[in-house]
Structure formats: C-alpha cells, structure tokens
Amino acid sequence: MQTKLIILDFDGTLGDTRNNIVKTLRETLLQSGLPMASEEDCAATIGLKLYDAFLQLVPTLTEQQAQECVELYREIFEINKKQLMPKLFPHVLETIQELSQRGITLTIASSRSNNTLQDFVKDMGLSQYIVYTIGAEDVANAKPNPEPVLKTLQHLGMKAEETLVVGDMPYDILMGANAGTHTCGVTYGNATRQQLADSKADYIIDDFAELLGFVF
C-alpha cells in the first residue's frame, strides 16, 4: 500500500510494557484499598487513558477517587520503571529504521502521559525516527476517538488515505478507522488475533517486521 505516514501505538506495539502496567495498576488498587483486579482485567485496559482504566476496573469509583488513582499510579510507575525497564519488541528498531529510510513519516499516538512516552522514546533509541508524539494530555478525547489521529494529520498536513495506524488493541484499530486511515493490528501485544479481526483491522501481523512487506 502507498503510505506516507505511520501512526504507531507504543504500549504493546513498540514497547513491551505489559508487566510494568499490570504491576502498577494492581499496586495502585492495593495501596488505595480498592478491590483487586486480575492481571487479565488490568491488561485489558492497556490503551485506555488511566482515568478510564480505573473506572473500568472499579466502576463504583467517584471522579475524585479515579483521579487520585491516576496520580498514585504515576508515582508508583516511576519507581517500577527503574526496576523493570521495558524493552522494544523484536525487530522494532530495525524496521523503524528501514521505514524511515524509505521516506515514511513516523509518529506515535499513545494513551500514556507524554512525559513518560518521551522518556521511553529517548531511552529506546527512537528519537531520531519519531517526528511527532501525542500523549494522554494532548487530546480531549482519547482512543478509540479519532482525535489523536486527526490532530496528527492536521499538524503534519497529511491525508488519512495515505496513513496507516498500527496498534495492538482494538482501541487503536477503531481510532484509525474512525479517522478514515488504514489500520494494522499486531498479535504479540495485549489483544488476541480474534479481537483485532473483530475490530476489522485491514492487516494483522505477528511480527513488526512484516510491515516492510506491504508498506512502501
């Protein structure tokens, strides 16, 4: 497919952060005296804004309680990040380098805070290839709303039909579809192949390097 722009998810697509996120969510619930959620239920919230993730895990939370959980999560995550530094998934760096050499513009749209996103991008050696990032605080409406994609397109002056959104969760696929882009799901992240198929991803791949086979 003719592609000029790829908008990438981070967690579960570029970086293997599942253990960090699940551990931090569960520690936040524990320290807040809230009902404990399973690892599977915590992983199912990856891709959502933290505020929405806590409401999904504990639907009875008030707005203030949910916001307090968000703030505590961020404190705990900074500690956990130093003890369990996430790594890039296999073939991510080499593939991004090749896509960049082909002249494709690469950006990230994530539901994590832009501060931690920027830290990961820098620490993982991606800074020179990623030209634009959107984090949770940069939009009013997070995934699966198309705002992160539409804001990226507007910022770069690019068209939806020339864009591919790549992510590991149905939220990513729906975000891209709602903005009119092509979409690609990766199976090695936090959702199953069936969940990605049900979200009607245009492409589904098992290895990030497979992007090179149909993006040019």
Side-chain angles (χ1 to χ4, degrees), residues 74-132:
R74 288 174 175 161
E75 293 175 7
I76 297 173
F77 189 86
E78 286 302 310
I79 297 172
N80 289 343
K81 186 176 68 172
K82 297 174 184 176
Q83 300 172 345
L84 187 62
M85 182 63 187
K87 296 181 180 179
L88 292 174
F89 283 105
H91 309 135
V92 165
L93 181 58
E94 308 95 300
T95 303
I96 282 181
Q97 289 172 334
E98 174 62 26
L99 291 169
S100 180
Q101 290 176 1
R102 293 183 185 184
I104 295 172
T105 300
L106 301 168
T107 74
I108 295 176
S110 173
S111 294
R112 72 166 47 256
S113 72
N114 215 330
N115 286 337
T116 60
L117 178 61
Q118 291 290 348
D119 287 343
F120 281 143
V121 167
K122 178 180 178 181
D123 293 343
M124 294 177 171
L126 300 176
S127 297
Q128 61 182 310
Y129 308 108
I130 304 299
V131 303
Y132 185 64

Side-chain angles (χ1 to χ4, degrees), residues 22 25-26 29-30 34-43 45 53 56-58:
V22 169
L25 284 170
R26 287 168 60 85
L29 294 173
L30 180 64
L34 295 169
M36 182 54 62
S38 68
E39 292 186 7
E40 292 75 17
D41 286 344
C42 288
T45 70
Q56 180 167 306
L57 292 172
V58 189

Side-chain angles (χ1 to χ4, degrees), residues 46-192:
I46 295 175
L48 292 174
K49 292 178 67 172
L50 281 174
Y51 181 89
D52 295 330
F54 281 110
L55 285 178
Q56 180 167 306
L57 292 172
V58 189
T60 57
L61 288 180
T62 65
E63 291 183 6
Q64 181 178 344
Q65 287 175 319
Q67 190 55 47
E68 288 172 353
C69 285
V70 169
E71 294 169 3
L72 179 58
Y73 175 99
R74 288 174 175 161
E75 293 175 7
I76 297 173
F77 189 86
E78 286 302 310
I79 297 172
N80 289 343
K81 186 176 68 172
K82 297 174 184 176
Q83 300 172 345
L84 187 62
M85 182 63 187
K87 296 181 180 179
L88 292 174
F89 283 105
H91 309 135
V92 165
L93 181 58
E94 308 95 300
T95 303
I96 282 181
Q97 289 172 334
E98 174 62 26
L99 291 169
S100 180
Q101 290 176 1
R102 293 183 185 184
I104 295 172
T105 300
L106 301 168
T107 74
I108 295 176
S110 173
S111 294
R112 72 166 47 256
S113 72
N114 215 330
N115 286 337
T116 60
L117 178 61
Q118 291 290 348
D119 287 343
F120 281 143
V121 167
K122 178 180 178 181
D123 293 343
M124 294 177 171
L126 300 176
S127 297
Q128 61 182 310
Y129 308 108
I130 304 299
V131 303
Y132 185 64
T133 61
I134 282 186
E137 66 273 39
D138 299 321
V139 292
N141 302 291
K143 307 173 185 179
N145 189 283
E147 184 180 349
V149 172
L150 296 176
K151 187 172 182 178
T152 300
L153 295 176
Q154 182 179 26
H155 177 81
L156 296 173
M158 304 188 84
K159 299 177 181 178
E161 56 266 30
E162 301 171 335
T163 301
L164 177 69
V165 169
V166 182
D168 70 308
M169 295 291 278
Y171 311 120
D172 303 304
I173 304 306
L174 294 172
M175 174 185 67
N178 289 335
T181 73
H182 302 283
T183 58
C184 176
V186 301
T187 62
Y188 54 78
N190 298 295
T192 65

